[in-house]
Amino acid sequence: MPYVVTRSCCADASCVLACPVNCIHPAPGEPGFATAEMLYVDPVTCVDCGACTTACPVDALKPHTALGEGELPFLELNASYYKENPHADRTPMYVVPRQRVLPAGELSVAVVGAGPAGLFAADELLRHPGVRATVYDRLPTPYGLARAGVAPDHQDTKQVTRLFRTIESQPGFSYRLGVEVGTHLTHADLLREHHAVIYAVGAATDKRLGIDGEDLRGSASATDFVGWYNGHPDRADDTYDLDTERAVVIGNGNVALDVARILTADPEVLARTDISDRALAALRASKVREVVLLGRRGPAQAAFTLPELLALAAIEDVDVSVEGWPGDLDPAATEKTRLLAQLAARTRVEGRRRIVLRFLTSPVRLTGDTCVRALEVTATALHTDEDGTVRALPTGGTQVLETGLVLRSVGYRARPVPGLPFDEDSATVPHESGRVEPGVYVAGWIKRGPTGFIGTNKTCAHETVESLLDDFAAGRLAQPVRGGVRTTTDALGVDAWHAIDRAERAAGEAQGRPRVKFTDTESLHRAARAVPAARG
C-alpha cells in the first residue's frame, strides 16, 4: 500500500529525512529539487511504514487506499515521476547539515522578514549552538504569505505554520514584530546591534500590465485581492465591487487559480475557513458567475502547477472549461496538457458557476468612464526565437469582454532594500550564495526572485546561513554594540504573538472555524496585550 503525495506540498523535505528506504524524491541536493512542483513517493520501494505522514507538516501524504476520487490522479502522477527519473542513480540519502563548532562568543543575527524564508533562515541558524536569531517584521503577526497568501480553502497547506511554531520555541529565537526597518530603525542600527543581518523581505509588489485603463476603479492586482480576502492589515479597508457577472484574471499562475476558486466558491464553504469576515460578506452578496483567466501563451506554457490544476479539476460544483487551444498542440504532450484537454472536452452544466481557462489571448485596454466596464483583448500566436524563447505575438483583431472586475496576476516584484544594491531587471539584491557583503545577506524571493514553493526557502536559507557562518568563522563580521538600538515602537515578542494566535483561534472555535483573524493593527495589538510581557 504505497503512500502518495496528494498536492503541491510544502517541499520542506521533512518526509525525505523521515523515510527509512529513501523512496521520496527529488531530495535536497538532487537535480530538480529547487524547481520541483512537489515531491513524489516511489510506489515500488515504499514499505508502507507511514513515517512520512508523521513528518509532513501539511498532511500532504496519504495511503493510496485513502485517496478521494479527486485525488486518484496523484497516484499515477507519483508513479510516473519514477518512470522518467529512475531511482537507482540517485544519492543514497538526504544528509542532515553538519552542526558547526563556532568560535568563542555568541553569534547574534537579525533576520528581517517573518515569512517562510525568514523563519527557515532562523531555523538554520539555530541548528548551531551559540547563535541567537532575532526576527523582525513590520506587521504584528509573522508567517508572511503562509498566513496572508495561501488561499483560505487550502487549510491543509497552512498547517506548515505548525513547523514555524516549533522554530519559535527554540532557545535563542526571538521576535521583534511591529517594527519596520527604515521607519523605526535603520540598516545601520541592525548592524550595530547584531553581528549580521539576513534580509528575507520577499516580493511585496506586483508587476503592472502597462495598458490603457489600468488605473480605473475595478482594476486591481490579484496580490491585493488575495491580501483582502486573507485579512492582511494593509488591505483591511479595501473594497471590491462584485456586482458583475464576469470577472477577468489576467495571468494563469497558481495565484490566478486561487482567485478564481475563491470568486466561484460556495460562501458557506468559505465560512468554515479563516477567510476575512469582510471578504466573506462581500462574497455572499457577489453576483460573479464566471471567472475568465487569460494567458498570453498556450496550454503547454501555463504557469500554474499540475497539482493545483488537478485540485481545480476536482471541484464538483463549478464548471472548468478551456478555450484557445493551438491547433498544432498534441493534447497528450504532457500531463498538464492531457488534463487540460480533458477539461476542454467537458460538457457544461447549466446553472453552475464557471471558470474559463483561456489561452493565446492578450489584454489590450480597459474601458469605462470612472470604473471598468469592459476589457478589450486580442488573439496571440506563439513564436519561438533562435534562443528557444517562446513569445506570444498579437495576430490582429480584438474582442470585447464585458466585466466590472479585472485582476492582474502577472507576477510578484520585490522593492529595493534601503542600504543594499538592487538589480532593477531581476528585482533582486545581487549576491554570491546569499552574501551581499560580509555581515549582510539575503534569502527568499529578494535573493532568487519570486520562484519556488514554501519548502524551497529551506534550501535557499541553508545556503545563505552557510555563507554567514563561513564569514563568522573567518573573523569577517564586526562585533555588535550591545544595547545600541532603540525602536520607536513597542515591539511584540513570541508571547505577544501567541496571545494573538490564541485569541483568533478562540474566536474561530466559537464559530466552527480554524480562526477568526484580526484584520487591523489596533485589534492585533489589543490582543497582544493580553499577556503581561512578551518574551524576546
Side-chain angles (χ1 to χ4, degrees):
M1 183 175 68
Y3 278 74
V4 181
V5 179
T6 59
R7 60 181 168 274
S8 184
C9 58
C10 72
D12 88 318
S14 298
C15 58
V16 175
L17 184 60
C19 178
V21 294
N22 191 28
C23 74
I24 305 176
H25 296 276
E30 292 181 340
F33 175 78
T35 57
E37 295 181 349
M38 56 186 283
L39 304 186
Y40 306 87
V41 176
D42 184 353
V44 175
T45 56
C46 177
V47 295
D48 188 27
C49 69
C52 57
T53 63
T54 303
C56 179
V58 297
D59 294 341
L61 286 130
K62 293 183 179 181
H64 82 272
T65 53
L67 298 178
E69 185 176 351
E71 296 170 323
L72 289 175
F74 285 98
L75 183 60
E76 174 57 29
L77 184 61
N78 278 249
S80 64
Y81 172 81
Y82 291 92
K83 296 174 184 176
E84 299 174 5
N85 302 272
H87 177 69
D89 61 348
R90 294 189 169 276
T91 53
M93 194 65 179
Y94 171 45
V95 179
V96 179
R98 65 187 175 93
Q99 191 177 67
R100 296 272 191 139
V101 178
L102 301 178
E106 188 179 61
L107 171 61
S108 175
V109 181
V111 180
V112 182
L119 289 171
F120 280 128
D123 187 40
E124 290 292 329
L125 287 164
L126 296 172
R127 293 178 186 276
H128 310 280
V131 180
R132 289 189 299 118
T134 304
V135 179
Y136 294 78
D137 201 284
R138 69 180 183 86
L139 295 177
T141 57
Y143 304 166
L145 289 179
R147 175 179 168 94
V150 176
D153 62 342
H154 278 8
Q155 289 296 311
D156 43 14
T157 303
K158 293 192 177 191
Q159 292 183 52
V160 72
T161 58
R162 295 183 301 186
L163 177 61
F164 299 156
R165 287 292 291 258
T166 301
I167 296 171
E168 294 168 352
S169 69
Q170 296 181 69
F173 181 96
S174 62
Y175 274 136
R176 292 291 183 268
L177 302 175
V179 176
E180 185 170 12
V181 177
T183 300
H184 303 118
L185 48 75
T186 67
H187 172 63
D189 290 332
L190 292 174
L191 287 175
R192 282 195 297 270
E193 180 76 4
H194 303 277
H195 290 90
V197 183
I198 298 175
Y199 285 92
V201 294
T205 61
D206 63 285
K207 297 178 181 178
R208 290 178 62 84
L209 300 171
I211 61 175
D212 290 343
E214 189 171 5
D215 294 318
L216 288 171
R217 191 169 72 250
S219 169
S221 77
T223 304
D224 289 349
F225 190 77
V226 168
W228 171 72
Y229 65 60
N230 269 321
H232 193 294
D234 288 353
R235 309 265 65 92
D237 296 326
D238 288 0
T239 58
Y240 292 91
D241 185 1
L242 304 182
D243 189 23
T244 177
E245 289 196 2
R246 177 188 289 132
V248 179
V249 182
I250 300 174
N252 56 20
N254 286 347
V255 172
L257 263 59
D258 285 348
V259 169
R261 284 198 326 275
I262 297 302
L263 282 170
T264 55
D266 181 348
E268 298 314 309
V269 173
L270 294 176
R272 298 193 291 271
T273 74
D274 63 348
I275 192 170
S276 156
D277 284 347
R278 184 168 185 165
L280 180 60
L283 290 165
R284 278 182 164 141
S286 171
K287 293 184 179 178
V288 174
R289 303 295 302 173
E290 179 181 85
V291 180
V292 180
L293 276 64
L294 297 184
R296 289 184 173 90
R297 299 191 296 173
Q301 294 81 33
F304 48 70
T305 61
L306 180 58
E308 289 299 318
L309 181 61
L310 283 166
L312 188 72
I315 298 175
E316 296 181 352
D317 57 351
V318 176
D319 269 355
V320 181
S321 60
V322 176
E323 297 178 359
W325 193 278
D328 59 350
L329 177 63
D330 179 6
T334 65
E335 291 290 338
K336 187 181 294 185
T337 56
R338 185 180 296 112
L339 179 54
L340 286 169
Q342 293 173 3
L343 292 174
R346 281 186 179 180
T347 302
R348 184 178 180 185
V349 178
E350 289 299 325
R352 283 185 177 177
R353 291 190 174 108
R354 185 181 184 218
I355 296 174
V356 181
L357 305 175
R358 181 167 174 175
F359 298 99
L360 297 176
T361 305
S362 180
V364 176
R365 66 179 60 86
L366 293 163
T367 59
D369 296 327
T370 59
C371 58
V372 173
R373 296 300 181 195
L375 171 66
E376 190 174 315
V377 300
T378 186
T380 61
L382 299 182
H383 173 78
T384 303
D385 294 340
E386 291 183 359
D387 62 359
T389 302
V390 178
R391 293 187 296 142
L393 303 179
T395 59
T398 59
Q399 179 187 1
V400 174
L401 299 177
E402 293 184 1
T403 179
L405 178 65
V406 175
L407 301 171
R408 62 182 181 274
S409 182
V410 292
Y412 290 94
R413 181 177 173 83
R415 296 191 183 106
V417 178
L420 271 63
F422 190 72
D423 185 322
E424 288 289 347
D425 291 335
S426 64
T428 59
V429 171
H431 65 91
E432 182 178 344
S433 298
R435 179 191 297 107
V436 181
E437 61 184 40
V440 183
Y441 308 85
V442 286
W445 283 359
I446 191 65
K447 170 186 174 183
R448 66 181 191 272
T451 60
F453 308 95
I454 291 175
T456 311
N457 292 298
K458 191 170 184 177
T459 307
C460 175
H462 173 72
E463 179 188 60
T464 294
V465 169
E466 287 293 300
S467 295
L468 187 157
L469 294 176
D470 286 344
D471 288 344
F472 183 61
R476 301 189 190 104
L477 305 184
Q479 288 295 316
V481 179
R482 301 299 183 188
V485 175
R486 292 183 180 180
T487 64
T488 58
T489 185
D490 293 327
L492 303 181
V494 173
D495 291 341
W497 153 237
H498 288 175
I500 294 171
D501 185 51
R502 285 194 301 271
E504 290 185 338
R505 289 181 182 277
E509 185 177 359
Q511 299 181 25
R513 302 170 63 183
R515 69 174 66 236
V516 174
K517 290 179 179 175
F518 300 116
T519 59
D520 63 277
T521 301
E522 182 179 346
S523 297
L524 288 162
H525 278 272
R526 188 163 53 246
R529 290 193 291 270
V531 293
R535 172 171 68 83

